[in-house]
Amino acid sequence: MERTIAVADTSFVVALLNRTDVRHEAVKAVYANQRSVLLPQTVLAEVAYLLGRDAGTTVVVGFLNGLPASRFRLVASTDDDVIRIAAILG
């Protein structure tokens, strides 16, 4: 089976981490089928905020410490990304 590049958004990561989320099993299956999942730094910041708010700092620390061993690959936004975001919003 051909694999595609997967890019996580906030709802994907939150559903993956929250076993009670109605999308958890579907997201877990997608995650398991990927060698790596790109995780934009902007998404990481939002996920950390939501996890901290809903589950506490200890959960955020555990998630952050587990990132290197996960399938997530942190990626930075480029200037071109920011310009494209502005164009989409404008």
Side-chain angles (χ1 to χ4, degrees):
M1 169 165 65
E2 183 176 327
R3 292 182 189 237
T4 58
I5 296 173
V7 180
D9 67 0
T10 302
S11 62
F12 179 92
V13 179
V14 169
L16 181 65
L17 298 173
N18 181 355
R19 293 183 187 131
T20 65
D21 191 294
V22 296
R23 297 161 296 178
H24 175 75
E25 289 303 319
V27 167
K28 186 171 138 182
V30 170
Y31 178 81
N33 195 39
Q34 302 299 317
R35 275 188 237 157
S36 66
V37 178
L38 301 182
L39 180 62
Q41 286 178 332
T42 52
V43 170
L44 177 61
E46 197 170 38
V47 167
Y49 166 75
L50 292 172
L51 282 178
R53 182 192 71 187
D54 298 340
T57 305
T58 303
V59 175
V60 176
V61 170
F63 174 67
L64 294 174
N65 283 331
L67 277 178
S70 76
R71 294 177 185 196
F72 289 117
R73 297 295 163 249
L74 198 56
V75 292
S77 298
T78 67
D79 290 341
D80 288 341
D81 294 332
V82 174
I83 290 168
R84 178 69 178 131
I85 292 167
I88 290 169
L89 294 175

